Amino acid sequence: MADSNLLALDRAPSFLTVAQAAAYLGISPNTLYVWRHRREGPPSFTMGSRRVMYRVAALDEWIEQQERADSRSNLALSPFSCQPQRKERRSRNVG
């Protein structure tokens, strides 16, 4: 029985607090609070009555979504991956 408790502690946590999630993302906890208030950023939930938590899997998925939406990481969105647009010449009508 004690061995199973030790195994559970050796695994990475499935849920992170605001401070832990901020460290995981490399941002400040205040940024997470602001994003949560604005309904932006990674999904979160309250555990119990007040404790805000983040799932590690949801953080990883949110990071991947950010990478796909960024033109520097996604060549399909990059303006440099398509042909430049040419401006049409207007003919002058001299009256």
Coordinates of all heavy atoms in Angstrom, one line a residue:
M1 N 0.8 -1.2 0.0 CA 0.0 0.0 0.0 C 0.9 1.3 0.0 O 0.6 2.2 -0.7 CB -0.9 0.0 1.2 CG -1.9 1.1 1.3 SD -3.4 0.5 0.8 CE -4.5 1.8 1.3
A2 N 1.9 1.2 0.8 CA 2.8 2.4 0.8 C 3.5 2.6 -0.5 O 3.8 3.7 -0.9 CB 3.8 2.2 1.9
D3 N 3.8 1.5 -1.2 CA 4.5 1.6 -2.5 C 3.6 2.3 -3.5 O 4.1 3.0 -4.4 CB 4.8 0.2 -3.0 CG 6.0 -0.5 -2.2 OD1 6.7 0.3 -1.6 OD2 6.0 -1.7 -2.2
S4 N 2.3 2.0 -3.5 CA 1.4 2.7 -4.5 C 1.3 4.2 -4.2 O 1.2 5.0 -5.1 CB 0.0 2.1 -4.4 OG -0.6 2.3 -3.2
N5 N 1.4 4.6 -2.9 CA 1.4 6.0 -2.6 C 2.7 6.7 -3.1 O 2.7 7.8 -3.6 CB 1.3 6.3 -1.1 CG -0.1 6.0 -0.6 OD1 -1.0 6.0 -1.4 ND2 -0.2 5.7 0.7
L6 N 3.8 6.0 -3.1 CA 5.1 6.5 -3.5 C 5.1 6.6 -5.1 O 5.6 7.6 -5.6 CB 6.3 5.6 -3.1 CG 6.6 5.6 -1.6 CD1 7.7 4.6 -1.4 CD2 7.1 7.0 -1.3
L7 N 4.5 5.7 -5.7 CA 4.4 5.7 -7.2 C 3.5 6.9 -7.6 O 3.8 7.6 -8.6 CB 3.8 4.4 -7.8 CG 4.6 3.2 -7.7 CD1 3.9 2.0 -8.2 CD2 5.9 3.4 -8.5
A8 N 2.5 7.2 -6.9 CA 1.6 8.3 -7.2 C 2.3 9.6 -7.1 O 2.1 10.6 -7.8 CB 0.3 8.3 -6.4
L9 N 3.2 9.7 -6.1 CA 4.0 11.0 -5.9 C 5.1 11.2 -6.9 O 5.5 12.3 -7.1 CB 4.6 11.0 -4.5 CG 3.6 11.0 -3.3 CD1 4.3 10.9 -2.0 CD2 2.8 12.3 -3.4
D10 N 5.6 10.1 -7.5 CA 6.7 10.2 -8.5 C 6.2 10.7 -9.8 O 7.0 11.2 -10.6 CB 7.3 8.8 -8.7 CG 8.2 8.4 -7.5 OD1 8.5 9.3 -6.7 OD2 8.5 7.2 -7.4
R11 N 4.9 10.5 -10.1 CA 4.4 11.0 -11.4 C 4.2 12.5 -11.4 O 4.0 13.1 -10.4 CB 3.0 10.4 -11.7 CG 3.1 8.9 -12.0 CD 1.7 8.4 -12.4 NE 0.9 8.4 -11.2 CZ -0.4 8.4 -11.2 NH1 -1.1 8.4 -12.4 NH2 -1.2 8.5 -10.2
A12 N 4.3 13.1 -12.6 CA 4.0 14.5 -12.7 C 2.6 14.8 -12.4 O 1.7 14.0 -12.7 CB 4.4 15.0 -14.1
P13 N 2.3 15.9 -11.7 CA 0.9 16.3 -11.4 C 0.1 16.5 -12.6 O 0.6 17.0 -13.6 CB 1.0 17.5 -10.5 CG 2.3 18.1 -11.0 CD 3.2 17.0 -11.4
S14 N -1.2 16.2 -12.5 CA -2.2 16.4 -13.6 C -2.7 17.8 -13.6 O -3.1 18.3 -14.6 CB -3.3 15.4 -13.5 OG -2.8 14.1 -13.7
F15 N -2.7 18.4 -12.4 CA -3.3 19.7 -12.2 C -2.2 20.6 -11.6 O -1.4 20.2 -10.8 CB -4.5 19.7 -11.2 CG -5.5 18.7 -11.6 CD1 -5.7 17.5 -10.9 CD2 -6.4 19.0 -12.7 CE1 -6.7 16.6 -11.3 CE2 -7.4 18.1 -13.0 CZ -7.5 16.9 -12.3
L16 N -2.3 21.9 -12.0 CA -1.3 22.9 -11.5 C -2.1 24.1 -11.0 O -3.2 24.5 -11.5 CB -0.4 23.4 -12.7 CG 0.4 22.4 -13.4 CD1 1.2 23.0 -14.5 CD2 1.4 21.7 -12.4
T17 N -1.5 24.7 -9.9 CA -2.1 25.9 -9.4 C -1.7 27.1 -10.3 O -1.0 26.9 -11.3 CB -1.5 26.2 -8.0 OG1 -0.1 26.4 -8.1 CG2 -1.8 25.1 -7.0
V18 N -2.2 28.2 -10.0 CA -1.9 29.4 -10.9 C -0.4 29.7 -10.9 O 0.1 29.9 -12.0 CB -2.7 30.7 -10.4 CG1 -2.2 31.9 -11.1 CG2 -4.2 30.5 -10.5
A19 N 0.2 29.6 -9.8 CA 1.7 29.9 -9.7 C 2.4 28.8 -10.5 O 3.4 29.1 -11.2 CB 2.1 29.9 -8.3
Q20 N 2.0 27.5 -10.3 CA 2.7 26.5 -11.1 C 2.5 26.6 -12.6 O 3.4 26.3 -13.4 CB 2.2 25.1 -10.5 CG 2.6 24.8 -9.1 CD 1.9 23.6 -8.6 OE1 0.8 23.3 -8.9 NE2 2.6 22.9 -7.7
A21 N 1.2 26.9 -13.0 CA 0.9 27.0 -14.4 C 1.7 28.2 -15.0 O 2.2 28.1 -16.1 CB -0.6 27.2 -14.6
A22 N 1.8 29.3 -14.3 CA 2.5 30.4 -14.8 C 4.0 30.0 -15.0 O 4.6 30.4 -16.0 CB 2.4 31.6 -13.8
A23 N 4.6 29.3 -14.0 CA 6.0 28.9 -14.2 C 6.1 27.9 -15.3 O 7.1 28.0 -16.1 CB 6.4 28.2 -12.9
Y24 N 5.1 27.1 -15.5 CA 5.1 26.1 -16.6 C 5.1 26.8 -18.0 O 5.8 26.4 -18.9 CB 3.9 25.2 -16.5 CG 3.8 24.0 -17.4 CD1 4.5 22.9 -17.2 CD2 3.0 24.1 -18.5 CE1 4.5 21.8 -18.1 CE2 2.9 23.0 -19.4 CZ 3.6 21.9 -19.2 OH 3.5 20.8 -20.1
L25 N 4.3 27.9 -18.0 CA 4.2 28.7 -19.3 C 5.3 29.7 -19.4 O 5.4 30.3 -20.5 CB 2.8 29.3 -19.4 CG 1.6 28.4 -19.5 CD1 0.3 29.2 -19.3 CD2 1.7 27.6 -20.8
G26 N 6.0 30.0 -18.4 CA 7.0 31.0 -18.4 C 6.5 32.4 -18.4 O 7.1 33.4 -19.0
I27 N 5.4 32.6 -17.7 CA 4.7 34.0 -17.6 C 4.5 34.2 -16.1 O 4.6 33.3 -15.3 CB 3.4 34.0 -18.4 CG1 2.4 33.0 -18.0 CG2 3.7 33.9 -19.9 CD1 1.1 33.1 -18.6
S28 N 4.0 35.4 -15.8 CA 3.7 35.8 -14.4 C 2.3 35.3 -14.0 O 1.4 35.2 -14.9 CB 3.8 37.3 -14.2 OG 2.7 37.9 -14.8
P29 N 2.1 35.0 -12.8 CA 0.8 34.6 -12.3 C -0.3 35.7 -12.6 O -1.4 35.4 -12.9 CB 0.9 34.4 -10.8 CG 2.4 34.0 -10.6 CD 3.1 34.8 -11.7
N30 N 0.2 36.9 -12.5 CA -0.8 38.0 -12.8 C -1.3 37.9 -14.2 O -2.5 38.2 -14.5 CB -0.1 39.4 -12.5 CG -1.1 40.5 -12.6 OD1 -2.1 40.5 -12.0 ND2 -0.7 41.5 -13.4
T31 N -0.4 37.6 -15.2 CA -0.9 37.4 -16.5 C -2.0 36.4 -16.7 O -3.0 36.6 -17.3 CB 0.3 37.1 -17.5 OG1 1.3 38.1 -17.4 CG2 -0.2 36.9 -18.9
L32 N -1.8 35.3 -16.0 CA -2.9 34.2 -16.0 C -4.2 34.8 -15.4 O -5.3 34.5 -15.9 CB -2.4 33.0 -15.2 CG -1.6 32.0 -16.0 CD1 -1.2 30.8 -15.1 CD2 -2.3 31.5 -17.3
Y33 N -4.1 35.5 -14.3 CA -5.3 36.1 -13.7 C -6.0 37.0 -14.6 O -7.2 37.0 -14.8 CB -4.9 36.8 -12.4 CG -4.7 35.9 -11.2 CD1 -3.5 35.9 -10.5 CD2 -5.8 35.1 -10.7 CE1 -3.3 35.0 -9.5 CE2 -5.6 34.3 -9.6 CZ -4.4 34.2 -9.0 OH -4.2 33.4 -7.9
V34 N -5.2 37.9 -15.3 CA -5.8 38.8 -16.3 C -6.5 38.1 -17.4 O -7.6 38.3 -17.8 CB -4.7 39.8 -16.8 CG1 -5.3 40.6 -18.0 CG2 -4.3 40.7 -15.7
W35 N -5.7 37.1 -18.0 CA -6.3 36.3 -19.1 C -7.6 35.6 -18.6 O -8.6 35.5 -19.4 CB -5.3 35.2 -19.6 CG -4.2 35.8 -20.4 CD1 -4.1 37.0 -20.9 CD2 -3.0 35.0 -20.8 NE1 -2.9 37.1 -21.6 CE2 -2.3 35.9 -21.6 CE3 -2.6 33.7 -20.6 CZ2 -1.1 35.5 -22.2 CZ3 -1.4 33.4 -21.2 CH2 -0.6 34.3 -22.0
R36 N -7.6 35.0 -17.4 CA -8.8 34.4 -16.9 C -10.0 35.3 -16.8 O -11.1 35.0 -17.2 CB -8.5 33.7 -15.6 CG -9.6 32.9 -14.9 CD -9.2 32.2 -13.7 NE -10.3 31.8 -12.9 CZ -11.1 30.7 -13.1 NH1 -10.8 30.0 -14.1 NH2 -12.1 30.4 -12.3
H37 N -9.7 36.5 -16.3 CA -10.7 37.6 -16.2 C -11.3 37.9 -17.5 O -12.5 38.2 -17.7 CB -10.1 38.8 -15.4 CG -11.1 39.9 -15.3 ND1 -12.2 39.9 -14.5 CD2 -11.2 41.1 -16.0 CE1 -12.9 41.0 -14.6 NE2 -12.3 41.8 -15.5
R38 N -10.4 38.0 -18.5 CA -10.8 38.4 -19.9 C -11.3 37.2 -20.7 O -11.7 37.3 -21.9 CB -9.7 39.0 -20.6 CG -9.2 40.3 -20.1 CD -8.1 40.9 -20.9 NE -7.6 42.1 -20.4 CZ -6.5 42.8 -20.8 NH1 -5.8 42.2 -21.7 NH2 -6.2 43.9 -20.2
R39 N -11.3 36.0 -20.1 CA -11.7 34.8 -20.8 C -10.8 34.5 -22.0 O -11.2 34.1 -23.0 CB -13.2 34.8 -21.2 CG -14.1 34.9 -20.0 CD -15.5 34.7 -20.4 NE -16.4 34.9 -19.3 CZ -16.7 34.1 -18.3 NH1 -16.1 32.9 -18.3 NH2 -17.5 34.4 -17.3
E40 N -9.5 34.8 -21.8 CA -8.5 34.5 -22.8 C -7.5 33.4 -22.1 O -7.7 33.1 -21.0 CB -7.7 35.7 -23.1 CG -8.5 36.8 -23.7 CD -7.7 38.1 -23.9 OE1 -6.5 38.2 -23.4 OE2 -8.3 39.1 -24.4
G41 N -6.5 33.0 -22.9 CA -5.5 32.1 -22.3 C -6.0 30.7 -22.2 O -7.1 30.3 -22.7
P42 N -5.2 29.9 -21.5 CA -5.6 28.5 -21.4 C -6.8 28.3 -20.5 O -7.1 29.1 -19.6 CB -4.3 27.9 -20.7 CG -3.6 29.0 -20.1 CD -4.0 30.2 -20.8
P43 N -7.5 27.2 -20.8 CA -8.7 26.9 -19.9 C -8.3 26.6 -18.5 O -7.3 25.9 -18.2 CB -9.4 25.7 -20.6 CG -8.3 25.1 -21.4 CD -7.3 26.2 -21.8
S44 N -9.1 27.0 -17.6 CA -8.9 26.8 -16.2 C -10.3 26.4 -15.5 O -11.3 26.5 -16.2 CB -8.3 28.0 -15.5 OG -9.2 29.1 -15.6
F45 N -10.2 26.0 -14.3 CA -11.4 25.7 -13.5 C -11.2 25.9 -12.1 O -10.0 26.0 -11.6 CB -11.9 24.3 -13.8 CG -10.9 23.2 -13.3 CD1 -11.1 22.6 -12.1 CD2 -9.8 22.9 -14.1 CE1 -10.2 21.7 -11.7 CE2 -8.9 21.9 -13.7 CZ -9.1 21.3 -12.4
T46 N -12.2 26.0 -11.3 CA -12.1 26.1 -9.8 C -12.3 24.8 -9.2 O -13.2 24.0 -9.5 CB -13.1 27.1 -9.2 OG1 -14.4 26.8 -9.6 CG2 -12.8 28.5 -9.7
M47 N -11.3 24.4 -8.3 CA -11.4 23.2 -7.6 C -11.9 23.6 -6.2 O -11.3 24.4 -5.5 CB -10.1 22.5 -7.5 CG -10.2 21.1 -6.9 SD -8.6 20.2 -6.9 CE -8.5 19.7 -8.6
G48 N -13.0 23.1 -5.8 CA -13.6 23.5 -4.5 C -14.3 24.8 -4.7 O -14.8 25.1 -5.8
S49 N -14.2 25.7 -3.8 CA -14.9 26.9 -3.9 C -14.1 28.1 -4.5 O -14.6 29.0 -5.1 CB -15.5 27.4 -2.5 OG -14.4 27.6 -1.6
R50 N -12.8 28.0 -4.3 CA -12.0 29.2 -4.8 C -10.7 28.9 -5.5 O -10.1 29.8 -6.1 CB -11.7 30.0 -3.5 CG -12.9 30.6 -2.9 CD -12.5 31.5 -1.8 NE -11.7 32.6 -2.3 CZ -11.5 33.7 -1.7 NH1 -12.1 34.0 -0.6 NH2 -10.8 34.7 -2.3
R51 N -10.2 27.7 -5.4 CA -8.9 27.4 -5.9 C -8.9 27.2 -7.4 O -9.5 26.3 -8.0 CB -8.4 26.1 -5.3 CG -6.9 25.8 -5.5 CD -6.4 24.7 -4.6 NE -5.0 24.6 -4.8 CZ -4.2 23.8 -4.1 NH1 -4.8 23.1 -3.1 NH2 -3.0 23.8 -4.3
V52 N -8.2 28.1 -8.1 CA -8.1 28.0 -9.6 C -7.0 27.0 -10.0 O -5.9 27.1 -9.5 CB -7.8 29.4 -10.2 CG1 -7.6 29.3 -11.7 CG2 -8.9 30.4 -9.8
M53 N -7.4 26.1 -10.9 CA -6.5 25.1 -11.3 C -6.4 25.0 -12.8 O -7.3 25.4 -13.5 CB -6.9 23.7 -10.8 CG -7.0 23.6 -9.3 SD -5.5 23.8 -8.4 CE -4.7 22.2 -8.7
Y54 N -5.3 24.4 -13.3 CA -5.1 24.2 -14.8 C -4.7 22.8 -15.0 O -3.8 22.3 -14.2 CB -4.0 25.1 -15.3 CG -4.4 26.6 -15.3 CD1 -4.2 27.4 -14.1 CD2 -4.9 27.2 -16.4 CE1 -4.5 28.7 -14.1 CE2 -5.2 28.5 -16.4 CZ -5.1 29.3 -15.2 OH -5.4 30.6 -15.2
R55 N -5.2 22.1 -16.0 CA -4.8 20.8 -16.4 C -3.6 20.9 -17.2 O -3.5 21.7 -18.1 CB -5.9 20.1 -17.2 CG -7.1 19.6 -16.4 CD -8.0 18.8 -17.4 NE -9.2 18.5 -16.7 CZ -9.4 17.3 -16.0 NH1 -8.4 16.5 -15.9 NH2 -10.5 17.1 -15.4
V56 N -2.6 20.1 -16.9 CA -1.3 20.1 -17.7 C -1.6 19.8 -19.2 O -1.1 20.5 -20.1 CB -0.3 19.1 -17.1 CG1 0.9 19.0 -18.0 CG2 0.1 19.5 -15.7
A57 N -2.5 18.8 -19.4 CA -2.8 18.5 -20.8 C -3.5 19.7 -21.5 O -3.2 19.9 -22.7 CB -3.8 17.3 -20.8
A58 N -4.3 20.4 -20.8 CA -5.0 21.6 -21.4 C -4.0 22.7 -21.7 O -4.1 23.4 -22.7 CB -6.1 22.1 -20.5
L59 N -3.0 22.8 -20.8 CA -1.9 23.8 -21.1 C -1.1 23.5 -22.3 O -0.8 24.3 -23.2 CB -1.0 23.9 -19.9 CG -1.6 24.5 -18.6 CD1 -0.6 24.5 -17.5 CD2 -2.0 26.0 -18.9
D60 N -0.8 22.2 -22.4 CA 0.0 21.7 -23.6 C -0.8 21.9 -24.9 O -0.3 22.3 -25.9 CB 0.4 20.2 -23.5 CG 1.4 20.0 -22.4 OD1 2.1 21.0 -22.0 OD2 1.5 18.9 -21.8
E61 N -2.1 21.6 -24.9 CA -3.0 21.8 -26.0 C -3.1 23.2 -26.4 O -3.0 23.6 -27.6 CB -4.4 21.2 -25.8 CG -5.3 21.2 -27.0 CD -6.6 20.6 -26.7 OE1 -6.7 19.6 -25.9 OE2 -7.6 21.0 -27.3
W62 N -3.2 24.1 -25.4 CA -3.3 25.5 -25.6 C -2.0 26.1 -26.3 O -2.1 26.9 -27.2 CB -3.6 26.3 -24.3 CG -3.8 27.7 -24.5 CD1 -4.9 28.4 -25.0 CD2 -2.8 28.7 -24.2 NE1 -4.6 29.8 -25.0 CE2 -3.4 30.0 -24.5 CE3 -1.5 28.7 -23.7 CZ2 -2.7 31.2 -24.4 CZ3 -0.8 29.9 -23.6 CH2 -1.4 31.1 -23.9
I63 N -0.9 25.6 -25.8 CA 0.4 26.0 -26.4 C 0.5 25.6 -27.9 O 0.9 26.4 -28.7 CB 1.6 25.4 -25.6 CG1 1.7 26.0 -24.2 CG2 2.9 25.5 -26.4 CD1 2.6 25.3 -23.3
E64 N 0.0 24.4 -28.2 CA 0.0 23.9 -29.6 C -0.9 24.8 -30.4 O -0.6 25.1 -31.6 CB -0.4 22.4 -29.6 CG 0.7 21.5 -29.1 CD 0.2 20.1 -29.1 OE1 -0.9 19.7 -29.7 OE2 0.9 19.2 -28.5
Q65 N -2.1 25.2 -29.9 CA -3.0 26.0 -30.6 C -2.4 27.4 -30.9 O -2.5 27.9 -32.0 CB -4.3 26.2 -29.8 CG -5.2 25.0 -29.8 CD -6.3 25.2 -28.8 OE1 -6.4 26.3 -28.1 NE2 -7.2 24.3 -28.8
Q66 N -1.6 27.9 -29.9 CA -0.9 29.2 -30.1 C 0.1 29.1 -31.2 O 0.3 30.0 -32.0 CB -0.3 29.6 -28.8 CG -1.3 29.9 -27.7 CD -2.4 30.8 -28.1 OE1 -2.1 32.0 -28.4 NE2 -3.6 30.4 -28.0
E67 N 0.8 27.9 -31.2 CA 1.9 27.7 -32.3 C 1.2 27.6 -33.6 O 1.8 28.2 -34.6 CB 2.7 26.4 -32.0 CG 3.6 26.6 -30.8 CD 4.2 25.3 -30.4 OE1 3.8 24.2 -30.8 OE2 5.2 25.3 -29.7
R68 N 0.1 26.9 -33.8 CA -0.6 26.8 -35.1 C -1.1 28.1 -35.5 O -1.2 28.4 -36.7 CB -1.7 25.7 -35.0 CG -1.2 24.3 -34.9 CD -2.3 23.3 -35.2 NE -3.4 23.4 -34.2 CZ -3.4 22.8 -33.0 NH1 -2.5 21.9 -32.7 NH2 -4.4 22.9 -32.2
A69 N -1.5 29.0 -34.6 CA -2.1 30.3 -35.0 C -1.1 31.3 -35.3 O -1.4 32.4 -35.8 CB -3.0 30.7 -33.9
D70 N 0.2 31.1 -35.0 CA 1.2 32.1 -35.2 C 1.9 31.9 -36.5 O 2.3 30.8 -36.9 CB 2.3 31.9 -34.1 CG 3.3 33.0 -34.1 OD1 3.3 33.9 -35.0 OD2 4.2 33.0 -33.2
S71 N 1.9 32.9 -37.3 CA 2.5 32.8 -38.7 C 3.9 32.4 -38.7 O 4.4 31.9 -39.7 CB 2.2 34.1 -39.5 OG 2.9 35.2 -38.9
R72 N 4.7 32.7 -37.6 CA 6.1 32.4 -37.6 C 6.3 30.9 -37.4 O 7.3 30.3 -37.8 CB 6.8 33.2 -36.5 CG 6.9 34.7 -36.8 CD 7.3 35.4 -35.6 NE 6.3 35.4 -34.7 CZ 6.2 36.1 -33.6 NH1 7.2 36.8 -33.2 NH2 5.2 36.0 -32.7
S73 N 5.3 30.2 -36.8 CA 5.4 28.8 -36.5 C 4.6 28.0 -37.6 O 4.9 26.8 -37.7 CB 4.8 28.4 -35.2 OG 5.5 29.1 -34.2
N74 N 3.7 28.6 -38.3 CA 2.8 27.9 -39.2 C 3.1 28.5 -40.6 O 2.6 29.6 -40.9 CB 1.4 28.1 -38.8 CG 0.4 27.3 -39.7 OD1 0.8 26.8 -40.7 ND2 -0.8 27.1 -39.2
L75 N 3.8 27.8 -41.4 CA 4.1 28.3 -42.8 C 2.9 28.6 -43.6 O 2.9 29.5 -44.5 CB 5.0 27.3 -43.5 CG 6.4 27.1 -42.9 CD1 7.2 26.1 -43.6 CD2 7.2 28.4 -42.8
A76 N 1.8 27.9 -43.4 CA 0.6 28.2 -44.2 C 0.0 29.6 -43.9 O -0.6 30.2 -44.7 CB -0.5 27.1 -43.9
L77 N 0.3 30.1 -42.7 CA -0.2 31.5 -42.4 C 0.9 32.6 -42.6 O 0.5 33.7 -42.5 CB -0.5 31.5 -40.9 CG -1.6 30.6 -40.4 CD1 -1.8 30.7 -38.9 CD2 -2.9 30.9 -41.1
S78 N 2.1 32.1 -43.0 CA 3.1 33.1 -43.2 C 2.9 33.9 -44.5 O 2.6 33.4 -45.5 CB 4.5 32.4 -43.3 OG 5.5 33.4 -43.6
P79 N 3.0 35.2 -44.4 CA 2.9 36.0 -45.6 C 4.0 35.8 -46.6 O 3.9 36.2 -47.8 CB 2.8 37.5 -45.1 CG 3.5 37.4 -43.8 CD 3.2 36.1 -43.2
F80 N 5.1 35.2 -46.1 CA 6.2 35.0 -47.0 C 6.1 33.7 -47.8 O 6.9 33.4 -48.7 CB 7.5 35.0 -46.2 CG 7.7 36.3 -45.5 CD1 7.6 36.4 -44.1 CD2 8.0 37.4 -46.2 CE1 7.8 37.6 -43.4 CE2 8.2 38.6 -45.5 CZ 8.1 38.7 -44.2
S81 N 5.1 32.9 -47.5 CA 4.9 31.6 -48.2 C 4.1 31.7 -49.5 O 3.9 30.8 -50.2 CB 4.3 30.6 -47.3 OG 3.0 30.9 -46.9
C82 N 3.6 32.9 -49.7 CA 2.7 33.1 -50.9 C 3.4 34.2 -51.8 O 4.3 34.9 -51.4 CB 1.3 33.5 -50.6 SG 1.2 35.0 -49.6
Q83 N 2.9 34.2 -53.1 CA 3.5 35.1 -54.0 C 3.1 36.5 -53.7 O 1.9 36.7 -53.2 CB 3.0 34.8 -55.4 CG 3.5 33.5 -56.0 CD 5.0 33.5 -56.3 OE1 5.5 34.5 -56.7 NE2 5.7 32.4 -56.0
P84 N 3.9 37.5 -53.9 CA 3.6 38.9 -53.6 C 2.5 39.3 -54.6 O 2.4 38.9 -55.7 CB 4.8 39.6 -53.9 CG 5.7 38.8 -54.7 CD 5.3 37.4 -54.4
Q85 N 1.6 40.2 -54.1 CA 0.5 40.7 -54.9 C 1.1 41.9 -55.7 O 1.8 42.7 -55.2 CB -0.6 41.1 -54.0 CG -1.3 40.0 -53.3 CD -2.4 40.4 -52.4 OE1 -2.6 41.6 -52.2 NE2 -3.1 39.5 -51.8
R86 N 0.6 42.0 -56.9 CA 1.1 43.1 -57.8 C 0.0 44.1 -57.9 O -1.2 43.8 -57.9 CB 1.4 42.5 -59.2 CG 2.4 41.5 -59.3 CD 3.8 42.1 -59.3 NE 4.8 41.1 -59.4 CZ 6.0 41.3 -59.0 NH1 6.4 42.4 -58.4 NH2 6.9 40.3 -59.1
K87 N 0.4 45.3 -57.8 CA -0.6 46.4 -58.0 C -0.9 46.6 -59.4 O 0.0 46.6 -60.3 CB 0.1 47.7 -57.4 CG -0.8 48.6 -56.9 CD -0.1 49.8 -56.2 CE -1.0 50.7 -55.5 NZ -0.3 51.8 -54.9
E88 N -2.2 46.8 -59.7 CA -2.6 47.0 -61.1 C -2.2 48.5 -61.5 O -2.4 49.4 -60.7 CB -4.0 46.8 -61.3 CG -4.4 45.3 -61.3 CD -5.9 45.1 -61.6 OE1 -6.4 45.9 -62.4 OE2 -6.5 44.2 -61.1
R89 N -1.7 48.6 -62.7 CA -1.5 50.0 -63.1 C -2.8 50.6 -63.7 O -3.5 49.9 -64.4 CB -0.4 49.9 -64.3 CG 0.9 49.6 -63.8 CD 1.9 49.7 -64.9 NE 3.2 49.8 -64.4 CZ 4.2 50.3 -65.0 NH1 4.0 50.9 -66.2 NH2 5.4 50.4 -64.5
R90 N -3.0 51.8 -63.3 CA -4.1 52.5 -63.9 C -3.7 53.2 -65.1 O -2.6 53.8 -65.2 CB -4.6 53.5 -62.9 CG -5.3 52.9 -61.7 CD -5.9 54.0 -60.9 NE -5.8 53.7 -59.5 CZ -6.1 54.6 -58.5 NH1 -6.5 55.8 -58.9 NH2 -6.0 54.2 -57.3
S91 N -4.6 53.2 -66.1 CA -4.3 54.0 -67.3 C -4.7 55.4 -67.1 O -5.8 55.7 -66.5 CB -5.0 53.4 -68.5 OG -6.4 53.4 -68.3
R92 N -3.9 56.3 -67.5 CA -4.3 57.7 -67.4 C -5.2 58.1 -68.5 O -4.9 57.9 -69.7 CB -3.0 58.6 -67.5 CG -2.2 58.6 -66.3 CD -1.3 59.8 -66.4 NE -0.3 59.7 -65.4 CZ 0.5 60.8 -65.2 NH1 0.3 61.9 -65.9 NH2 1.4 60.8 -64.4
N93 N -6.3 58.7 -68.2 CA -7.2 59.2 -69.2 C -7.0 60.7 -69.3 O -7.4 61.5 -68.3 CB -8.6 58.9 -68.9 CG -8.9 57.5 -69.0 OD1 -8.3 56.8 -69.8 ND2 -10.0 57.0 -68.3
V94 N -6.3 61.2 -70.3 CA -6.1 62.6 -70.4 C -7.3 63.1 -71.2 O -7.6 62.7 -72.3 CB -4.8 62.9 -71.2 CG1 -4.6 64.4 -71.3 CG2 -3.6 62.2 -70.4
G95 N -8.0 64.1 -70.6 CA -9.2 64.6 -71.1 C -9.3 65.4 -72.2 O -9.9 65.6 -73.1

